[in-house]
Amino acid sequence: MAKGYSKDLRVRAVELVESGESAREAARILNLGASTTIRWMDRWRKTGNVEAKPGTGHSRSPLEQHKQWLIELIAAEPDLTLEEIRARLRSQRKQKAGIGSIWRFFDRHSITFKKKHCTPPSRIDLTSLPSVPRRKPSSPSCVHRASSLSTRLRSRRRWSGTMGALLAVSASSLACPMVTGRR
């Protein structure tokens, strides 16, 4: 944001115009914009004051009026995504908000909630699954598709037993045959 002009400069502009110069000529002499000097003169004629208007202060988030509701919502259902919170705000509180606004609200109030990256399915009967030997990629130059889609390093969970074999088979089916070396 640009810095405001000093009161001294505003007074000098008004004095030049009051002494007979035009607002545009006063602006040229003081190296100001013509519209700036014209606005100052309009304000001088209407209020008799040339001081800068007070600033607007900090921007206020419309989510602040829903602060208690949002905090209670997260306390009751901590696994909600920002998109789900946005939908609830719109349907229950009739408040439109963007994902970024909601994120900044929670960041401002130091409320964080991380989702678990990889949780095992809890309803699979592991005894009925066939025992499959763990397969390795056919070539070291194959790139796992999930790792090529993300720029972040993720910790990989290790599963043992039949669940590990099942996950190894499903992960190896995602391997891409792209060779990364030069020809």
Side-chain angles (χ1 to χ4, degrees), residues 141-153:
S141 60
C142 284
V143 179
H144 190 273
R145 187 174 288 142
S147 64
S148 66
L149 293 177
S150 175
T151 57
R152 279 209 224 144
L153 295 175

Side-chain angles (χ1 to χ4, degrees), residues 10-11 14 17 22 27 35 48 58 60 69 84 91 93 97 103 105 109 119 138 144 150-151 158-159 162 165 174 181:
R10 293 166 187 262
V11 169
V14 169
V17 173
S22 69
S35 62
H58 298 290
R60 303 289 182 227
W69 182 81
E84 292 168 336
S91 66
R93 305 294 279 198
W103 184 88
F105 170 82
H109 296 288
T119 56
S138 60
H144 190 273
S150 175
T151 57
R158 304 234 185 259
W159 303 103
T162 310
L174 293 176

Side-chain angles (χ1 to χ4, degrees), residues 10 12-13 18 21 31 43 65 74 77 79 90 123 127 129 131 140 145 148 154 160 164-165 170 172 180 182:
R10 293 166 187 262
R12 288 193 346 226
E18 292 290 319
E21 299 288 344
N31 197 21
R43 183 154 187 218
Q65 62 188 355
I74 291 302
E77 298 179 60
D79 60 337
R90 186 167 219 169
R123 294 189 183 112
T127 59
L129 295 175
S131 179
R145 187 174 288 142
S148 66
R154 293 183 178 171
S160 61
S170 66
S172 67
T180 57
R182 294 186 182 191

Side-chain angles (χ1 to χ4, degrees), residues 117-122 124-126 129-137 144-146 155-175:
H117 171 62
C118 182
T119 56
S122 59
I124 293 180
D125 181 19
L126 297 179
L129 295 175
S131 179
V132 180
R134 189 174 195 144
R135 286 185 10 186
K136 292 183 180 178
H144 190 273
R145 187 174 288 142
S155 64
R156 297 186 66 165
R157 292 191 182 209
R158 304 234 185 259
W159 303 103
S160 61
T162 310
M163 189 63 173
L166 178 67
L167 290 174
V169 169
S170 66
S172 67
S173 66
L174 293 176

Side-chain angles (χ1 to χ4, degrees), residues 5 9-10 12-17 21-45 50:
Y5 291 105
L9 182 61
R10 293 166 187 262
R12 288 193 346 226
V14 169
E15 287 174 352
L16 280 172
V17 173
E21 299 288 344
S22 69
R24 292 182 188 277
E25 184 62 25
R28 189 189 62 72
I29 292 169
L30 297 173
N31 197 21
L32 295 170
S35 62
T36 302
T37 309
I38 292 169
R39 271 195 328 270
W40 289 349
M41 289 310 300
D42 285 343
R43 183 154 187 218
W44 170 256
R45 290 182 186 119
V50 292

Side-chain angles (χ1 to χ4, degrees), residues 75-90:
E77 298 179 60
D79 60 337
L80 287 175
T81 64
L82 292 174
E83 186 62 44
E84 292 168 336
I85 294 170
R86 178 184 184 195
R88 296 251 184 114
L89 263 171
R90 186 167 219 169

